[in-house]
Amino acid sequence: MEFIPVNEPYLDEKDKTMVLSCLDSGWISSEGAFVREFEEKFAQSVNRKYGIAVSSGTAALDISVAALNIGKGDEIILPSFTIISCVHQIIRAGAKPIFIDSDLDTWNINISEIEKNITKKTKALLIPHIYGLPVDMDYIEKICRKYNLFLIEDAAEMIGQTCRSSRCCSFGDLSTFSFYANNHITTGEGGMVVTNSEHLYERCKSLRNLCFEKEQRFKHSE
């Protein structure tokens, strides 16, 4: 039986030219000109103020959870059907994932089950869109406002798509992306966090780079 891949990346001559240009510049790590341009243009394309490029979609989720100071005793609500990357940092932070079953029509989180699982310990909702079908984010945002919860939107499978005329990834405090080879846009590996909050932007940038202090390079704030 012939193997059918989830996706095959399309790479043309322009991609090769840009990679060689990057190699010629000598800047192949951290945040050179190509990375900064990508962050700015990607954030603009999804109607967000700030973009923070990271090494993977998993790293984007890890940094988002850490940026919100999720810690021991906190609870985060998320769907039971999603990639394990959504759970990594919750567990590492000492918090508790609260799993909600899927909607049978979309495989997304069953939004009717969310509110009954909110407790005094609930600090955030982590909402991935599954298989290109959007979650009703208007409803999700109403819940977050009602209970004063943070919202992380995992839009790895939603680049360019909309939810009720608004861009998927334009909702909540932070939205995350993966640029793994089988996603809409690929950088080989890589990911992105986008936000409208200057505070969260600066915090994510710091966490991405090991929390080096600006004044004393090898002194770490965390």
Side-chain angles (χ1 to χ4, degrees), residues 197-214:
S197 164
E198 185 176 2
H199 165 71
L200 289 176
Y201 168 62
E202 293 295 340
R203 182 147 170 74
C204 285
K205 279 208 307 180
S206 179
L207 288 164
R208 173 183 68 179
N209 198 31
L210 304 177
C211 298
F212 286 109
E213 288 195 354
K214 293 180 180 179

Side-chain angles (χ1 to χ4, degrees), residues 59-100:
L61 287 161
D62 287 351
I63 285 174
S64 295
V65 172
L68 298 175
N69 295 314
I70 304 296
K72 189 173 182 179
D74 293 331
E75 295 178 351
I76 295 185
I77 290 174
L78 69 161
S80 57
F81 182 69
T82 186
I83 191 168
I84 197 171
S85 302
C86 292
V87 183
H88 282 164
Q89 189 62 23
I90 299 173
I91 299 297
R92 279 197 290 265
K96 182 179 180 181
I98 304 298
F99 294 109
I100 306 296

